mmCIF file of all heavy atoms in Angstrom:
data_model
loop_
_atom_site.group_PDB
_atom_site.id
_atom_site.type_symbol
_atom_site.label_atom_id
_atom_site.label_comp_id
_atom_site.label_asym_id
_atom_site.label_seq_id
_atom_site.Cartn_x
_atom_site.Cartn_y
_atom_site.Cartn_z
ATOM 1 N N ASP A 201 -125.121 -12.899 82.603
ATOM 2 C CA ASP A 201 -125.517 -14.096 81.878
ATOM 3 C C ASP A 201 -125.289 -13.847 80.368
ATOM 4 O O ASP A 201 -125.543 -12.755 79.865
ATOM 5 C CB ASP A 201 -127.016 -14.283 82.183
ATOM 6 C CG ASP A 201 -127.634 -15.425 81.427
ATOM 7 O OD1 ASP A 201 -127.946 -15.267 80.234
ATOM 8 O OD2 ASP A 201 -127.818 -16.465 82.062
ATOM 9 N N MET A 202 -124.802 -14.845 79.660
ATOM 10 C CA MET A 202 -124.463 -14.696 78.235
ATOM 11 C C MET A 202 -125.573 -14.045 77.408
ATOM 12 O O MET A 202 -125.331 -13.182 76.577
ATOM 13 C CB MET A 202 -124.154 -16.074 77.618
ATOM 14 C CG MET A 202 -122.719 -16.514 77.737
ATOM 15 S SD MET A 202 -121.586 -15.240 77.217
ATOM 16 C CE MET A 202 -121.801 -15.377 75.424
ATOM 17 N N ARG A 203 -126.817 -14.501 77.660
ATOM 18 C CA ARG A 203 -127.929 -14.000 76.835
ATOM 19 C C ARG A 203 -128.178 -12.531 77.105
ATOM 20 O O ARG A 203 -128.427 -11.752 76.200
ATOM 21 C CB ARG A 203 -129.198 -14.812 77.128
ATOM 22 C CG ARG A 203 -129.096 -16.253 76.687
ATOM 23 C CD ARG A 203 -130.190 -17.065 77.299
ATOM 24 N NE ARG A 203 -130.149 -16.977 78.761
ATOM 25 C CZ ARG A 203 -130.993 -17.574 79.568
ATOM 26 N NH1 ARG A 203 -131.986 -18.290 79.082
ATOM 27 N NH2 ARG A 203 -130.886 -17.467 80.874
ATOM 28 N N VAL A 204 -128.069 -12.157 78.383
ATOM 29 C CA VAL A 204 -128.283 -10.753 78.738
ATOM 30 C C VAL A 204 -127.153 -9.912 78.162
ATOM 31 O O VAL A 204 -127.359 -8.836 77.615
ATOM 32 C CB VAL A 204 -128.338 -10.579 80.264
ATOM 33 C CG1 VAL A 204 -128.602 -9.145 80.637
ATOM 34 C CG2 VAL A 204 -129.402 -11.484 80.858
ATOM 35 N N LYS A 205 -125.956 -10.469 78.252
ATOM 36 C CA LYS A 205 -124.779 -9.766 77.774
ATOM 37 C C LYS A 205 -124.893 -9.424 76.292
ATOM 38 O O LYS A 205 -124.672 -8.290 75.873
ATOM 39 C CB LYS A 205 -123.553 -10.644 78.033
ATOM 40 C CG LYS A 205 -122.252 -10.063 77.577
ATOM 41 C CD LYS A 205 -121.112 -10.999 77.930
ATOM 42 C CE LYS A 205 -119.836 -10.553 77.248
ATOM 43 N NZ LYS A 205 -118.706 -11.413 77.560
ATOM 44 N N SER A 206 -125.255 -10.420 75.500
ATOM 45 C CA SER A 206 -125.277 -10.153 74.058
ATOM 46 C C SER A 206 -126.435 -9.231 73.700
ATOM 47 O O SER A 206 -126.353 -8.456 72.767
ATOM 48 C CB SER A 206 -125.354 -11.457 73.267
ATOM 49 O OG SER A 206 -126.537 -12.133 73.583
ATOM 50 N N SER A 207 -127.490 -9.290 74.481
ATOM 51 C CA SER A 207 -128.635 -8.456 74.182
ATOM 52 C C SER A 207 -128.400 -6.999 74.590
ATOM 53 O O SER A 207 -128.643 -6.072 73.826
ATOM 54 C CB SER A 207 -129.835 -9.060 74.893
ATOM 55 O OG SER A 207 -130.881 -8.194 74.896
ATOM 56 N N LEU A 208 -127.875 -6.792 75.788
ATOM 57 C CA LEU A 208 -127.604 -5.422 76.233
ATOM 58 C C LEU A 208 -126.470 -4.805 75.420
ATOM 59 O O LEU A 208 -126.452 -3.612 75.141
ATOM 60 C CB LEU A 208 -127.236 -5.407 77.722
ATOM 61 C CG LEU A 208 -126.934 -4.027 78.311
ATOM 62 C CD1 LEU A 208 -128.156 -3.121 78.251
ATOM 63 C CD2 LEU A 208 -126.439 -4.125 79.739
ATOM 64 N N GLY A 209 -125.523 -5.654 75.016
ATOM 65 C CA GLY A 209 -124.362 -5.136 74.302
ATOM 66 C C GLY A 209 -124.526 -5.101 72.784
ATOM 67 O O GLY A 209 -123.538 -5.161 72.062
ATOM 68 N N GLU A 210 -125.775 -4.998 72.298
ATOM 69 C CA GLU A 210 -125.978 -4.929 70.839
ATOM 70 C C GLU A 210 -125.129 -3.812 70.230
ATOM 71 O O GLU A 210 -124.557 -3.950 69.163
ATOM 72 C CB GLU A 210 -127.464 -4.686 70.520
ATOM 73 C CG GLU A 210 -128.298 -5.943 70.578
ATOM 74 C CD GLU A 210 -129.794 -5.665 70.429
ATOM 75 O OE1 GLU A 210 -130.246 -4.510 70.587
ATOM 76 O OE2 GLU A 210 -130.519 -6.625 70.164
ATOM 77 N N GLU A 211 -125.098 -2.695 70.933
ATOM 78 C CA GLU A 211 -124.210 -1.592 70.544
ATOM 79 C C GLU A 211 -123.402 -1.234 71.781
ATOM 80 O O GLU A 211 -123.961 -1.121 72.870
ATOM 81 C CB GLU A 211 -125.010 -0.357 70.122
ATOM 82 C CG GLU A 211 -126.065 -0.589 69.087
ATOM 83 C CD GLU A 211 -125.512 -0.539 67.668
ATOM 84 O OE1 GLU A 211 -124.301 -0.249 67.517
ATOM 85 O OE2 GLU A 211 -126.290 -0.798 66.739
ATOM 86 N N GLU A 212 -122.102 -1.064 71.603
ATOM 87 C CA GLU A 212 -121.282 -0.664 72.748
ATOM 88 C C GLU A 212 -120.592 0.652 72.441
ATOM 89 O O GLU A 212 -120.047 0.823 71.358
ATOM 90 C CB GLU A 212 -120.204 -1.719 73.022
ATOM 91 C CG GLU A 212 -120.742 -2.987 73.630
ATOM 92 C CD GLU A 212 -119.631 -3.973 73.989
ATOM 93 O OE1 GLU A 212 -118.477 -3.526 74.206
ATOM 94 O OE2 GLU A 212 -119.921 -5.170 74.047
ATOM 95 N N ILE A 213 -120.613 1.561 73.392
ATOM 96 C CA ILE A 213 -119.898 2.824 73.187
ATOM 97 C C ILE A 213 -118.979 3.082 74.379
ATOM 98 O O ILE A 213 -119.416 3.110 75.527
ATOM 99 C CB ILE A 213 -120.874 4.003 73.028
ATOM 100 C CG1 ILE A 213 -121.817 3.739 71.849
ATOM 101 C CG2 ILE A 213 -120.103 5.296 72.807
ATOM 102 C CD1 ILE A 213 -122.786 4.857 71.584
ATOM 103 N N LEU A 214 -117.714 3.244 74.067
ATOM 104 C CA LEU A 214 -116.728 3.511 75.120
ATOM 105 C C LEU A 214 -116.468 5.014 75.227
ATOM 106 O O LEU A 214 -116.241 5.683 74.213
ATOM 107 C CB LEU A 214 -115.424 2.788 74.785
ATOM 108 C CG LEU A 214 -114.190 3.205 75.599
ATOM 109 C CD1 LEU A 214 -114.334 2.803 77.056
ATOM 110 C CD2 LEU A 214 -112.921 2.597 75.012
ATOM 111 N N PHE A 215 -116.522 5.550 76.437
ATOM 112 C CA PHE A 215 -116.146 6.939 76.685
ATOM 113 C C PHE A 215 -114.735 6.949 77.253
ATOM 114 O O PHE A 215 -114.493 6.472 78.355
ATOM 115 C CB PHE A 215 -117.119 7.596 77.668
ATOM 116 C CG PHE A 215 -118.393 8.066 77.027
ATOM 117 C CD1 PHE A 215 -119.228 7.172 76.358
ATOM 118 C CD2 PHE A 215 -118.759 9.407 77.074
ATOM 119 C CE1 PHE A 215 -120.406 7.605 75.759
ATOM 120 C CE2 PHE A 215 -119.936 9.854 76.476
ATOM 121 C CZ PHE A 215 -120.757 8.956 75.822
#
Side-chain angles (χ1 to χ4, degrees):
D201 176 281
M202 272 311 284
R203 294 166 302 179
V204 182
K205 179 178 169 180
S206 62
S207 167
L208 180 63
E210 279 173 343
E211 308 275 356
E212 287 184 24
I213 302 182
L214 167 67
F215 279 59

